Amino acid sequence: MSIAPCPVPDSQASPPGKIKRCLRVVLAAIASVLAFLTAAITLGAYFPAIPKAGVIGPVIGGQYPFHVALLALVGAVPGAVAWRGGLVRWGRALTSVTALSAIAALGIGGVQFTAARDAGTKVSFSQVFSRLASPGGAAPDTTRIYATRDGEALEADVYLATKSRGNKVPAIVLAHAGGFHTFDKSDLRGTGRWLADRGVAVIAVDYRLATPDRPTWDKAPQDLMTALGWTRDHADEYGIDSSRISLGGMSAGGTLAMNTAYRLQNGTMRATDGTIPKPPFSVVGFYPGTDVDDMWKEDVAGTREAAELFTGGTPARYPERYREVSPTTDIRKGLQRTLLVVGDRDRSARPETIKDFGASLQAKGVDTTVKELPFSEHAFDDAYGSLTSQTSRRILLDFLNKNT
């Protein structure tokens, strides 16, 4: 369909008919862009196998379904105007596509809202629309250096919880995401502040990151072990119940947390500097890698690069390193209570892999909770106010508050 150029006003007024036709075409073009965008997002969210759309759809549609619905409705308006203005087939098609996209997006939001309510979440729709990414002013109560390694000061952000009736509070040492080689503890500020405000102290820690000339397979777990010991040493200072200190993390941080916790529990971890602390009370893995060898083989969204940076090479070259840092290696009886949370659209920490890992733990008698969030990709908690993020925080809080 060829689009005639809009008439340029001059001393002689353009015929009203040409101006109207031009405006109809402009409105239809705007509606076309919005229709294509929202349709691609919603189709990708519902059908992740669709190339390209299946990558971006679960990320945008899963975290911002109501925003997508609003965008689709906005697109429906110029489409309807173009339809009524004479571009019947074009306008009708655009109106239909945008309306269906809005309905599909609201369907995602409805499913996520139901899951949130089932988890006991007090949903805040103001956060859904106002906290698109940032946790909004969240900050730790203090930042301390918990260790110095390789000339690098390793810091911990401490989020202090208000004591309940004078009692000491549970705590969790949290490790950030980033494929073992990027990001830092500041990514956890929203979760840290939210949990602390609800009675759980949070120690969000940095750990040594891998570089091309410094693999950290034997360093980062040591850092988490040191952070756990440091937290125990400062438990009285921060009003923490030392018998209820958990260890957890997101993505690569979850891999490190589970690996460290299980090895401590199994007695297979040795301290290269300092003493070996008591194992954590429980373990949390948000969309973690459960087998670093699988991360290398599947090579999804940079997992192979992350595995090689972390271990210093390929599984063929360093099979023993891959085994040592994979949580699957340490599945035995007697492990700590474990919480696993994953999105049902996660491409790198695939939900079936997480559920199989959880089933393996349960088969050994380990108290394991697996939560699968609908229409959610990897790092579903990046958008602080999203329904999935609100739900995951509720799940985490309830797990940490459980005494046994």
Side-chain angles (χ1 to χ4, degrees), residues 337-393:
R337 283 194 313 119
T338 299
L339 171 65
L340 303 169
V341 186
V342 67
D344 66 355
R345 301 298 198 266
D346 199 321
R347 294 180 302 127
S348 51
R350 293 183 291 114
E352 55 268 29
T353 300
I354 301 300
K355 288 187 285 188
D356 286 347
F357 181 80
S360 296
L361 288 170
Q362 291 167 347
K364 293 294 185 180
V366 180
D367 183 354
T368 306
T369 301
V370 181
K371 295 291 184 179
E372 185 178 9
L373 301 182
F375 291 101
S376 301
E377 239 284 17
H378 201 70
F380 51 72
D381 49 348
D382 275 355
Y384 179 83
S386 69
L387 289 178
T388 53
S389 189
Q390 293 187 46
T391 304
S392 67
R393 289 195 295 270

Side-chain angles (χ1 to χ4, degrees), residues 63-88:
Q63 294 192 95
Y64 309 105
F66 298 108
H67 302 80
V68 174
L70 285 175
L71 189 63
L73 291 174
V74 168
V77 173
V81 172
W83 180 4
R84 291 179 61 86
L87 298 176
V88 178

Side-chain angles (χ1 to χ4, degrees), residues 92-153:
R92 183 167 52 197
L94 293 173
T95 303
S96 299
V97 170
T98 50
L100 289 172
S101 296
I103 293 170
L106 290 173
I108 294 171
V111 170
Q112 291 182 341
F113 178 77
T114 299
R117 293 299 298 268
D118 289 346
T121 309
K122 293 182 179 179
V123 174
S124 169
F125 279 100
S126 64
Q127 287 191 5
V128 168
F129 290 99
S130 64
R131 302 287 179 84
L132 301 186
S134 170
D141 293 284
T142 185
T143 298
R144 301 279 296 274
I145 295 174
Y146 73 86
T148 300
R149 299 286 184 268
D150 298 335
E152 176 182 352

Side-chain angles (χ1 to χ4, degrees), residues 240-258:
I240 293 171
D241 181 351
S242 61
S243 68
R244 295 178 63 196
I245 300 175
S246 301
L247 186 60
M250 282 62 178
S251 194
T255 303
L256 290 171
M258 292 191 301

Side-chain angles (χ1 to χ4, degrees), residues 312-332:
T314 66
R317 184 178 182 186
Y318 297 116
E320 73 288 347
R321 294 183 182 182
Y322 276 78
R323 283 194 298 270
E324 181 172 320
V325 297
S326 295
T328 50
T329 303
D330 291 285
I331 295 178
R332 302 180 189 177

Side-chain angles (χ1 to χ4, degrees), residues 24-60:
R24 287 199 301 267
V25 170
V26 170
L27 289 174
I30 294 173
S32 296
V33 172
L34 296 179
F36 174 80
L37 179 62
T38 55
I41 291 172
T42 52
L43 279 172
Y46 278 92
F47 306 104
I50 298 176
K52 295 184 179 180
V55 175
I56 196 66
V59 175
I60 298 179

